Amino acid sequence: MARSPCRFCKSLSLHTFVDLGMSPLCESFLAADQLNQMEPFYPLHVYVCENCLLVQLQEYVRPEDIFTEYAYFSSYSDTWLRHSKDYADMVVERFNLGLHSRVVELASNDGYLLQYFVQKGIPVLGIEPAANVAETAISKGVTTVVKFFGSKTAHEVAGASGKADLIIGNNVLAQVPDLNDFVAGMQILLKPDGIITMEFPHLMSLMESNQFDTIYHEHFSYFSFAVVERVFAAHALTLFDVEKLSTHGGSLRIYACHTEDAGKQVTTRVKVLKAAEEAAGVLRIDTYFSFAKKVEETKHKLLEFLIEAKREGKSIAGYGAPGKGNTLLNYCGVRTDFIDYTVDRNPYKHGKYTPGTHIPIFHPNKISETKPDYVFILPWNLKDEIMKQLAYINEWGGRFVIPIPEPKICS
Ligand SMILES: [Zn+2]
């Protein structure tokens, strides 16, 4: 039973979307001396609101417990850095940003994106709640304040250094527990003719491609365009353009402005996407009731593959230790009985263990040392980049395993 009202509309009519059981926080990697200690697990039970159709987790965990020290450094992915640079070039040109503009990024992480605006001489401010990643940003010359964002922070920042021409929020909207206060904050901080762009995984892709592993405690909400439009409209903001992106298995980049700003036309892309969502059943609650079955089926198939591989005496190594990997491993009950170890480019994770499943994490060199039969790619959204980097596993007949949308072997 859902105990809290809907995060957006406060309705109490919430229905199960999918229940992934109990899971630890997916970024809470363990040191060796923590392996024999008790580990907190929280429900990973997702609901859909009958009234507004927002798909959401309850706030099982306080955001302070998740985001104040964060193991995710955006700069460890080449694909993501290229994506960020392309975005900066595009947005500066399209909206004529220059030396007198002001760019604010919410959840600016390690400065992976704002650095490209700094290079162009455009004044920036990052707002980031995790002190450890914010420090990295500051050392790169990206001005950053360590804070959670909401209407209070918006007033403080606007008062101290003025409003923004561009507010950016990439992969943060889903991670906001107080959604209304967060969107209200953007409305406060935005100049009358300013714009907001935000990227977030598209719920339609999550459902169509069975990306249940993108569900984790850090992600409180899962958005369709229709629902985001409704949330922004409630705070006097209008979505005037949208792009579909391939990042994170299918994301949206929305463009918003003040509803009062008459200078921006709603594009055809908005109309096309809204029609596509309607055709896919995004506006009908019964569409949401078929997802759980598909997720169970994927678990069965993945375990079938893993059991068969182990019976044949094959060795399996993981690649990556992303948040989504931890949902998958915990939900499917995959531990070192199937996967000997995993590797990650982020040195912060080396020598640590995956939460809940206790799979050791090493430097990527471990793969060429042990020559596993299969490399199980956990961040499947980066599979092209990873398969290129690890093409050398062909030398010993190694093959790749991709778990989502359904388990598949690639060589
Ligand atoms: Zn609702």
Side-chain angles (χ1 to χ4, degrees):
M1 257 294 283
R3 296 217 178 112
S4 312
C6 169
R7 171 162 299 120
F8 170 52
C9 78
K10 310 300 173 204
S11 161
L12 287 166
S13 301
L14 302 183
H15 301 276
T16 293
F17 175 62
V18 66
D19 183 359
L20 300 174
M22 299 290 287
S23 212
L25 294 184
C26 73
E27 296 285 343
S28 55
F29 295 92
L30 303 171
D33 62 358
Q34 293 173 300
L35 293 177
N36 293 332
Q37 291 169 14
M38 210 167 63
E39 221 180 320
F41 277 57
Y42 304 90
L44 209 41
H45 190 154
V46 189
Y47 294 91
V48 56
C49 173
E50 189 179 311
N51 179 50
C52 73
L53 299 176
L54 175 63
V55 172
Q56 56 197 293
L57 271 178
Q58 307 259 284
E59 194 179 324
Y60 298 113
V61 193
R62 292 183 321 142
E64 291 81 359
D65 293 335
I66 302 179
F67 297 115
T68 39
E69 168 149 347
Y70 209 45
Y72 186 73
F73 287 75
S74 301
S75 297
Y76 287 108
S77 162
D78 298 338
T79 306
W80 187 242
L81 283 179
R82 200 162 46 245
H83 172 80
S84 302
K85 183 174 186 310
D86 290 348
Y87 163 82
D89 292 343
M90 178 280 295
V91 80
V92 165
E93 193 184 319
R94 177 168 173 189
F95 297 101
N96 297 317
L97 300 175
L99 306 183
H100 303 291
S101 309
R102 190 168 159 68
V103 177
V104 177
E105 186 183 11
L106 313 178
S108 47
N109 200 272
D110 59 7
Y112 73 101
L113 172 58
L114 287 179
Q115 62 183 345
Y116 298 116
F117 292 92
V118 171
Q119 283 169 14
K120 295 173 195 289
I122 299 171
V124 302
L125 177 70
I127 302 177
E128 166 57 52
N132 63 325
V133 287
E135 273 168 31
T136 309
I138 292 164
S139 71
K140 282 184 202 162
V142 175
T143 312
T144 304
V145 291
V146 179
K147 272 186 196 307
F148 280 95
F149 184 76
S151 52
K152 183 169 166 280
T153 302
H155 280 298
E156 286 168 12
V157 169
S161 43
K163 297 190 176 190
D165 296 277
L166 168 64
I167 298 176
I168 308 168
N170 290 342
N171 298 304
V172 59
L173 197 60
Q175 308 192 356
V176 169
D178 191 345
L179 183 59
N180 283 308
D181 185 59
F182 186 88
V183 179
M186 291 196 289
Q187 203 269 347
I188 291 162
L189 187 57
L190 189 66
K191 278 189 186 170
D193 61 348
I195 60 152
I196 300 168
T197 77
M198 308 207 96
E199 294 176 22
F200 50 86
H202 191 196
L203 178 63
M204 214 164 90
S205 305
L206 185 155
M207 290 169 73
E208 283 174 0
S209 313
N210 192 26
Q211 300 163 0
F212 65 89
D213 61 343
T214 59
I215 294 168
Y216 40 89
H217 295 104
E218 284 82 345
H219 288 170
F220 294 110
S221 309
Y222 303 83
F223 294 108
S224 62
F225 183 85
V227 167
V228 173
E229 187 176 51
R230 217 171 271 171
V231 173
F232 274 57
H235 296 280
L237 294 168
T238 296
L239 306 190
F240 66 90
D241 196 7
V242 64
E243 284 171 77
K244 288 171 89 165
L245 309 171
S246 60
T247 47
H248 295 285
S251 295
L252 295 181
R253 176 187 291 149
I254 52 147
Y255 295 76
C257 62
H258 286 286
T259 303
E260 288 183 344
D261 178 357
K264 306 195 172 59
Q265 297 294 318
V266 176
T267 64
T268 318
R269 292 196 287 203
V270 168
K271 289 161 201 159
V272 169
L273 181 61
K274 282 170 78 166
E277 283 197 340
E278 194 175 350
V282 165
L283 305 177
R284 292 192 317 269
I285 188 133
D286 52 307
T287 307
Y288 296 84
F289 295 151
S290 58
F291 185 65
K293 193 82 207 145
K294 212 155 114 179
V295 173
E296 271 176 28
E297 183 56 28
T298 307
K299 173 174 179 172
H300 300 160
K301 278 190 187 154
L302 180 62
L303 287 173
E304 264 167 17
F305 162 76
L306 290 171
I307 290 169
E308 203 177 309
K310 292 317 277 185
R311 290 218 196 286
E312 290 169 4
K314 307 281 193 203
S315 57
I316 308 169
Y319 187 94
K324 58 167 69 79
N326 289 322
T327 291
L328 182 88
L329 297 171
N330 277 288
Y331 170 66
C332 295
V334 173
R335 300 183 178 80
T336 49
D337 45 359
F338 290 116
I339 294 185
D340 300 330
Y341 63 86
T342 191
V343 298
D344 201 279
R345 288 172 76 187
N346 180 350
Y348 182 92
K349 296 179 183 175
H350 296 163
K352 295 205 164 100
Y353 295 78
T354 57
T357 50
H358 297 192
I359 297 172
I361 307 165
F362 295 101
H363 186 278
N365 285 347
K366 182 91 174 170
I367 289 182
S368 49
E369 287 164 25
T370 66
K371 303 187 171 41
D373 296 305
Y374 291 109
V375 172
F376 189 113
I377 299 181
L378 290 162
W380 45 259
N381 53 308
L382 304 175
K383 68 175 187 318
D384 295 336
E385 173 182 339
I386 293 166
M387 285 166 63
K388 212 158 37 172
Q389 275 168 19
L390 297 190
Y392 60 80
I393 74 168
N394 280 326
E395 289 166 19
W396 63 81
R399 303 172 83 189
F400 297 100
V401 182
I402 317 287
I404 303 281
E406 57 172 32
K408 200 172 97 186
I409 299 167
C410 316
S411 27

